[in-house]
mmCIF file of all heavy atoms in Angstrom:
data_model
loop_
_atom_site.group_PDB
_atom_site.id
_atom_site.type_symbol
_atom_site.label_atom_id
_atom_site.label_comp_id
_atom_site.label_asym_id
_atom_site.label_seq_id
_atom_site.Cartn_x
_atom_site.Cartn_y
_atom_site.Cartn_z
ATOM 1 N N LEU A 41 -90.345 -35.865 42.896
ATOM 2 C CA LEU A 41 -91.779 -36.119 42.759
ATOM 3 C C LEU A 41 -92.085 -36.529 41.319
ATOM 4 O O LEU A 41 -92.902 -37.409 41.067
ATOM 5 C CB LEU A 41 -92.553 -34.832 43.105
ATOM 6 C CG LEU A 41 -94.057 -34.845 42.886
ATOM 7 C CD1 LEU A 41 -94.754 -35.695 43.947
ATOM 8 C CD2 LEU A 41 -94.612 -33.420 42.928
ATOM 9 N N ASN A 48 -87.785 -26.477 24.999
ATOM 10 C CA ASN A 48 -86.826 -25.471 24.523
ATOM 11 C C ASN A 48 -87.523 -24.606 23.470
ATOM 12 O O ASN A 48 -88.739 -24.708 23.282
ATOM 13 C CB ASN A 48 -85.548 -26.133 23.986
ATOM 14 C CG ASN A 48 -85.854 -27.059 22.803
ATOM 15 O OD1 ASN A 48 -86.916 -26.970 22.195
ATOM 16 N ND2 ASN A 48 -84.923 -27.932 22.502
ATOM 17 N N SER A 80 -117.684 -25.359 29.908
ATOM 18 C CA SER A 80 -118.420 -25.840 31.091
ATOM 19 C C SER A 80 -118.044 -27.290 31.385
ATOM 20 O O SER A 80 -118.004 -27.714 32.543
ATOM 21 C CB SER A 80 -119.930 -25.750 30.881
ATOM 22 O OG SER A 80 -120.277 -24.411 30.687
ATOM 23 N N PRO A 104 -100.777 -26.520 52.305
ATOM 24 C CA PRO A 104 -101.596 -27.442 53.093
ATOM 25 C C PRO A 104 -102.809 -27.922 52.287
ATOM 26 O O PRO A 104 -103.428 -27.135 51.575
ATOM 27 C CB PRO A 104 -102.045 -26.598 54.291
ATOM 28 C CG PRO A 104 -101.010 -25.532 54.404
ATOM 29 C CD PRO A 104 -100.546 -25.243 53.005
ATOM 30 N N ASP A 137 -127.876 10.665 15.128
ATOM 31 C CA ASP A 137 -128.965 11.474 14.541
ATOM 32 C C ASP A 137 -129.663 10.802 13.361
ATOM 33 O O ASP A 137 -130.033 11.468 12.385
ATOM 34 C CB ASP A 137 -128.418 12.842 14.079
ATOM 35 C CG ASP A 137 -127.951 13.678 15.258
ATOM 36 O OD1 ASP A 137 -128.477 13.461 16.365
ATOM 37 O OD2 ASP A 137 -127.047 14.507 15.075
ATOM 38 N N ASN A 142 -123.244 3.427 14.589
ATOM 39 C CA ASN A 142 -122.016 2.750 15.032
ATOM 40 C C ASN A 142 -122.412 1.522 15.832
ATOM 41 O O ASN A 142 -123.310 1.600 16.675
ATOM 42 C CB ASN A 142 -121.222 3.637 15.996
ATOM 43 C CG ASN A 142 -120.611 4.833 15.328
ATOM 44 O OD1 ASN A 142 -119.614 4.723 14.621
ATOM 45 N ND2 ASN A 142 -121.204 6.014 15.536
ATOM 46 N N PRO A 214 -87.426 -23.833 31.366
ATOM 47 C CA PRO A 214 -86.852 -22.654 32.023
ATOM 48 C C PRO A 214 -87.438 -21.327 31.506
ATOM 49 O O PRO A 214 -87.580 -21.152 30.290
ATOM 50 C CB PRO A 214 -85.361 -22.738 31.656
ATOM 51 C CG PRO A 214 -85.159 -24.001 30.901
ATOM 52 C CD PRO A 214 -86.463 -24.612 30.578
ATOM 53 N N ALA A 293 -100.479 -11.153 50.341
ATOM 54 C CA ALA A 293 -100.226 -11.304 51.779
ATOM 55 C C ALA A 293 -100.166 -9.945 52.489
ATOM 56 O O ALA A 293 -99.645 -8.971 51.950
ATOM 57 C CB ALA A 293 -98.905 -12.045 51.993
ATOM 58 N N GLU A 347 -81.602 -12.206 58.228
ATOM 59 C CA GLU A 347 -80.297 -11.584 58.525
ATOM 60 C C GLU A 347 -80.307 -10.108 58.176
ATOM 61 O O GLU A 347 -79.807 -9.267 58.923
ATOM 62 C CB GLU A 347 -79.200 -12.259 57.695
ATOM 63 C CG GLU A 347 -78.656 -13.505 58.330
ATOM 64 C CD GLU A 347 -77.723 -14.231 57.370
ATOM 65 O OE1 GLU A 347 -76.942 -13.573 56.665
ATOM 66 O OE2 GLU A 347 -77.811 -15.475 57.336
ATOM 67 N N ARG A 409 -99.698 7.095 55.470
ATOM 68 C CA ARG A 409 -98.372 7.450 54.931
ATOM 69 C C ARG A 409 -97.486 6.201 54.852
ATOM 70 O O ARG A 409 -96.863 5.931 53.820
ATOM 71 C CB ARG A 409 -97.705 8.521 55.801
ATOM 72 C CG ARG A 409 -96.389 9.022 55.233
ATOM 73 C CD ARG A 409 -95.685 9.996 56.153
ATOM 74 N NE ARG A 409 -95.323 9.460 57.459
ATOM 75 C CZ ARG A 409 -94.381 8.554 57.674
ATOM 76 N NH1 ARG A 409 -93.687 8.062 56.672
ATOM 77 N NH2 ARG A 409 -94.119 8.105 58.890
ATOM 78 N N GLY A 417 -98.322 -1.782 45.028
ATOM 79 C CA GLY A 417 -99.687 -1.313 45.303
ATOM 80 C C GLY A 417 -100.698 -2.371 44.905
ATOM 81 O O GLY A 417 -101.613 -2.108 44.122
ATOM 82 N N MET A 459 -101.613 -1.474 41.412
ATOM 83 C CA MET A 459 -101.118 -0.127 41.085
ATOM 84 C C MET A 459 -99.595 -0.142 41.198
ATOM 85 O O MET A 459 -99.002 -1.099 41.680
ATOM 86 C CB MET A 459 -101.659 0.899 42.075
ATOM 87 C CG MET A 459 -103.147 1.120 41.995
ATOM 88 S SD MET A 459 -103.581 2.503 43.084
ATOM 89 C CE MET A 459 -105.361 2.439 42.989
ATOM 90 N N GLY A 469 -114.049 -10.483 35.590
ATOM 91 C CA GLY A 469 -115.287 -10.028 34.952
ATOM 92 C C GLY A 469 -115.053 -9.504 33.544
ATOM 93 O O GLY A 469 -114.290 -10.081 32.768
ATOM 94 N N ASN A 481 -115.078 -1.124 16.018
ATOM 95 C CA ASN A 481 -116.265 -0.310 15.745
ATOM 96 C C ASN A 481 -116.578 -0.316 14.257
ATOM 97 O O ASN A 481 -115.685 -0.190 13.415
ATOM 98 C CB ASN A 481 -116.042 1.132 16.210
ATOM 99 C CG ASN A 481 -117.324 1.919 16.148
ATOM 100 O OD1 ASN A 481 -118.280 1.601 16.838
ATOM 101 N ND2 ASN A 481 -117.373 2.926 15.288
#
Side-chain angles (χ1 to χ4, degrees):
L41 174 73
N48 61 17
S80 298
D137 294 334
N142 290 284
E347 275 172 40
R409 185 185 61 70
M459 293 187 187
N481 189 63

